[in-house]
Amino acid sequence: MLKKRDSYVVAVVGATGAVGEEMVSILQERRFPVKELRLFASERSEGKRMEFKGDLITVRTLTEDVFRGIDIALFSAGAERSRHFAPIAAKEGCVVIDNSSAWRMDPEVPLVIPEVNPQDLTWHKGIIANPNCSTIQMVVVLKPIHDAVRVKRVVVTTFQSVSGTGKKAMEELLNQTTALLNFKEIECKVYPYQIAFNVLPHIDSFMDGGYTKEELKMVNETKKILGDDTIRVTATTVRVPVFRGHSESVNVETEKKLTVDEVKDLLQAFPGIVVQDDPENNLYPLPIEAAGRDEVFVGRIREDDTVECGLNLWIVSDNLRKGAALNAVQIAEKLIEMA
Ligand code: 25A
Ligand code: L14
């Protein structure tokens, strides 16, 4: 459990990655009460320096003995590292907020979006999981609808940016785009096929039944966060050649009917949601506008009259911020508030 203090020793594990860098800048931006910031990554980044509040902090190699004296550790260095190092950190009395998929479905580990299920933070045992990026932005929007009229079934298709995969994927999209525009050969190292000027219906690995892990995360994590196993979710997750910001087409079936105006009122009143829905003026959420922003943007809100109580929504958010680093920092802020 976190003790109430004026400020905390905070660590970022995977600090040089796409999410880790964002964690460092969000801690600074939000004036998180940091007494000391310690940065860790793999040996590749040893000695690299990163700026925090005007100071340069040296990145150190992550080893088992670094966690003593750390109050809060934000992890984003891949699932394998989290599986190994999070329990070691927790044993040292450090509260781990883990952005990987390693611990999310563990019944001993709360899976938290602070605006949705802050109550789950009360029973953590040293590790708290940050949900998947696509799950977070969808569930933030489902929550007020679920509370009002109960969500029965969700059909979601995602349009996910390459930054979710990390820095190497962002370089791959940039390099392929540049190569193709110069009539040069392209290289595919991160994704199995060309991602520039293409769309890949494949995120994370394929599982039995033909679904990808990413699709199953959306199904299982949604139920766990909303604390309702009866919600039926089916997903198709797709990679698009966008650098930053995930988009989602979400079809929702509810128990009771809501008009479009009622949905807009519900969403507008919920923290962190911005309704951008004015088709006459071509206003709808776009990933290039959501990039760098904290909110979840919703538009194209329509009734689906193929069922009795149906809705169609278009949901966009910055996957590195609300989808990852921001949600993790907000979890830490909530823990302090509750301490
Ligand atoms: O292991 P997994 O589960 O497959 O996940 C690893 C991948 O998932 C991304 C991460 O992106 C990486 O590509 N990732 C992590 N969490 C994620 C999440 N929640 C996530 N994606 C989505 N959602 P990344 O490359 O942007 O960030 C990786 C960070 O983790 C650090 N790291 C890696 N191994 C580590 C480690 N830290 C401690 N111990 C280890 N054993 C990593 O630090 C980075 O901070 P780094 O020093 O390894 O990387 C610094 C730069 O080097 C580049 N790079 C990464 N891998 C290689 C590489 N360069 C050459 N060869 C490589 N094999 C990175 O681009 C980074 O800029
Ligand atoms: O957090 O976009 O489980 O490739 C891992 C794959 C996040 C997205 C996670 C991707 C995901 C990531």
Side-chain angles (χ1 to χ4, degrees):
M1 285 294 150
L2 201 68
K3 294 205 185 71
K4 194 104 189 164
R5 302 225 179 88
D6 287 341
S7 59
Y8 300 85
V9 179
V10 179
V12 176
V13 173
T16 53
V19 173
E21 280 180 355
E22 206 65 27
M23 286 169 162
V24 173
S25 56
I26 289 175
L27 287 169
Q28 175 167 329
E29 256 173 62
R30 294 174 73 87
R31 299 168 199 278
F32 191 89
V34 177
K35 182 159 70 189
E36 187 194 332
L37 184 66
R38 300 186 190 166
L39 304 178
F40 302 99
S42 77
E43 265 173 41
R44 270 190 298 274
S45 295
E46 171 72 40
K48 201 181 153 190
R49 300 209 286 178
M50 293 174 72
E51 204 186 314
F52 180 71
K53 291 189 176 170
D55 292 333
L56 285 174
I57 300 179
T58 305
V59 179
R60 296 297 176 202
T61 303
L62 180 67
T63 53
E64 294 180 357
D65 56 4
V66 302
F67 295 103
R68 181 147 307 162
I70 294 172
D71 300 309
I72 302 168
L74 308 177
F75 272 59
S76 191
E80 225 177 288
R81 265 71 60 187
S82 294
R83 254 189 294 278
H84 183 77
F85 287 99
I88 295 171
K91 212 174 230 166
E92 287 284 353
C94 170
V95 178
V96 174
I97 302 171
D98 181 38
N99 191 49
S100 82
S101 58
W103 298 97
R104 289 180 189 147
M105 294 313 294
D106 188 315
E108 304 274 288
V109 173
L111 181 65
V112 176
I113 305 172
E115 305 89 313
V116 176
N117 59 332
Q119 73 283 359
D120 285 326
L121 289 174
T122 55
W123 53 268
H124 82 82
K125 300 182 172 72
I127 304 175
I128 297 156
N130 202 58
N132 168 267
C133 37
S134 299
T135 309
I136 292 178
Q137 66 182 69
M138 179 174 80
V139 172
V140 163
V141 173
L142 292 181
K143 171 68 175 170
I145 299 174
H146 190 53
D147 286 348
V149 289
R150 216 183 83 76
V151 171
K152 281 164 54 180
R153 178 169 182 261
V154 178
V155 183
V156 53
T157 304
T158 67
F159 304 72
Q160 299 186 217
S161 67
V162 297
S163 57
T165 318
K167 281 191 171 176
K168 277 182 289 179
M170 297 171 82
E171 281 161 29
E172 184 152 300
L173 173 57
L174 182 66
N175 292 340
Q176 288 182 356
T177 307
T178 314
L180 289 163
L181 293 176
N182 287 288
F183 307 100
K184 294 213 178 94
E185 289 285 311
I186 61 147
E187 272 190 315
C188 299
K189 287 193 275 188
V190 177
Y191 300 121
Y193 297 99
Q194 175 185 325
I195 181 61
F197 309 104
N198 203 5
V199 163
L200 310 177
H202 173 183
I203 293 180
D204 211 333
S205 45
F206 280 99
M207 308 293 282
D208 290 346
Y211 284 92
T212 63
K213 258 193 202 163
E214 187 78 352
E215 288 159 353
L216 299 179
K217 286 175 219 165
M218 294 194 79
V219 173
N220 297 322
E221 293 180 21
T222 299
K223 295 178 184 184
K224 179 166 173 176
I225 300 163
L226 291 174
D228 186 343
D229 264 342
T230 67
I231 300 178
R232 288 171 296 162
V233 181
T234 188
T236 302
T237 56
V238 181
R239 183 83 58 197
V240 294
V242 168
F243 282 100
R244 196 167 164 150
H246 289 358
S247 307
E248 302 178 340
S249 160
V250 183
N251 179 265
V252 186
E253 202 182 332
T254 57
E255 208 161 76
K256 290 194 216 115
K257 199 169 178 67
L258 282 178
T259 65
V260 167
D261 284 336
E262 285 168 339
V263 176
K264 284 184 183 168
D265 289 344
L266 277 175
L267 296 182
Q268 235 135 18
F270 199 78
I273 297 181
V274 172
V275 175
Q276 274 184 339
D277 196 5
D278 184 7
E280 271 172 41
N281 291 303
N282 290 347
L283 182 69
Y284 33 74
L286 297 173
I288 55 167
E289 305 246 315
R293 300 276 303 267
D294 286 348
E295 304 91 334
V296 175
F297 300 90
V298 193
R300 303 295 322 279
I301 304 169
R302 289 150 291 156
E303 281 185 34
D304 168 13
D305 62 13
T306 65
V307 289
E308 221 168 286
C309 308
L311 291 168
N312 280 310
L313 310 164
W314 176 251
I315 304 173
V316 180
S317 193
D318 184 329
N319 55 296
L320 298 181
R321 289 181 78 92
K322 188 57 191 169
L326 173 65
N327 196 70
V329 173
Q330 287 172 322
I331 289 174
E333 289 171 347
K334 195 50 110 182
L335 282 173
I336 292 175
E337 196 185 303
M338 289 163 69

